[in-house]
Amino acid sequence: MSPDVVVCGETMLLMLAEPGVPLEHAVSFRRSIAGAESNVAAGLARLGHSVRWLGRVGDDPAGRAVLAQLRAHGVDSSYAVTDPEAPTGVLMRDSHPARAIDVQYLRAGSAASRLSPHELQPRMFQGARLVHITGITPMLSDSANRATWRLVELARAAGAVLSFDPNIRHKLGTPARWREVVTPLLSRADVVMAGEDEWELLGVPDPAALLGTGPRTIVVKHRDKSATCLTSEAEAAVQPAFDVPVSDPVGAGDAFAAGFLSGLLHGHGPDQCLRQAAVVAALVVQCPTDTDGLPNQAGLDRALAGFTDAGSETVIR
């Protein structure tokens, strides 16, 4: 069956320390998975969309756990590559609602970093309506960078909407390297979602200026946690963040992307897409791991109704 959505990128085994305990002192860990693209894939699958994940894992227990977890989320991993010569990446982190999160990546030389263009074939994208990528993938290695441009080409050939989230991770490279590798991708996508600080780092102080150069929809996530959606067809829509207790802030951006993209797939306008995005993000930050709080459609509908009743609406200006 053809998927609604194709994503491609790195998925790692996540070892999450017990809540509130600094990583260096933690003795108990919960196993899960982490990866920007697979988080979005899981979110969209939970919301009823058919999603395919493309990527690479090692032929090891961590890789088998990653693939099993993707399948448990309802994500098609049938085209995943298992590399017998390279390990699956591992991410260790702690969890705290207020202080900075300590993250340790064990990904050098990982199977995911060996992604190459020839592994991506047109049949994997046949029938897809949306292809979602992030800036993490091209920053992993030169071959993964070339593979990302192959993804752009295949998305175009399939007639799919191309969604792009820079998802800047400073441990992967300097700001100059991010601008060199990732900034050129901004004008190739149809939908770009990025934080205010990410737009600035990538040398785009006025994201609206990109409209008409490639992107048809631009989302700016502001420092105060509100978000603005810009299109050339409608007035800007602005969505404040919902006030919820935060258990673990990691994964909020990917949850936001899943909610927004689900709205696009359903044909909703910018205001409804933003509202869905904010709701999914609000649900995820109340739970540990990147995916525990992801709702199904019924859960999203209930949360939308609850937040709307509480008086939080999208502002059009």
Side-chain angles (χ1 to χ4, degrees), residues 71-86:
R71 290 192 294 270
H73 285 307
V75 176
D76 171 23
S77 61
S78 58
Y79 284 100
V81 174
T82 299
D83 189 333
E85 298 179 351

Side-chain angles (χ1 to χ4, degrees), residues 37-185:
E37 298 85 359
S38 55
N39 289 343
V40 174
L44 287 169
R46 286 296 307 274
L47 290 170
H49 304 281
S50 58
V51 188
R52 175 175 293 155
W53 177 79
L54 306 177
R56 308 177 96 259
V57 296
D59 185 11
D60 50 30
R64 289 187 284 277
V66 163
L67 295 179
Q69 191 64 52
L70 287 169
R71 290 192 294 270
H73 285 307
V75 176
D76 171 23
S77 61
S78 58
Y79 284 100
V81 174
T82 299
D83 189 333
E85 298 179 351
T88 304
V90 176
L91 183 155
M92 299 177 66
R93 71 170 177 88
D94 57 20
S95 173
H96 198 282
R99 65 165 168 78
I101 303 298
D102 188 6
V103 181
Q104 299 295 315
Y105 294 100
L106 307 174
R107 64 173 17 145
S110 70
S113 70
R114 296 186 176 193
L115 182 70
S116 62
H118 78 271
E119 293 174 324
L120 303 171
Q121 301 298 324
R123 68 180 184 279
M124 301 173 181
F125 300 81
Q126 186 173 358
R129 298 167 55 201
L130 175 76
V131 174
H132 179 70
I133 59 176
T134 80
I136 294 172
T137 303
M139 290 292 291
L140 292 176
S141 67
D142 288 341
S143 66
N145 187 18
R146 295 193 301 274
T148 301
W149 286 96
R150 173 68 169 159
L151 284 163
V152 172
E153 173 189 322
L154 290 169
R156 288 279 170 264
V161 170
L162 180 63
S163 167
F164 180 58
D165 181 349
N167 224 307
I168 291 174
R169 297 292 181 265
H170 292 283
K171 290 187 177 183
L172 279 175
T174 64
R177 180 61 176 163
W178 277 92
R179 284 190 290 272
E180 177 188 356
V181 173
V182 172
T183 298
L185 289 163

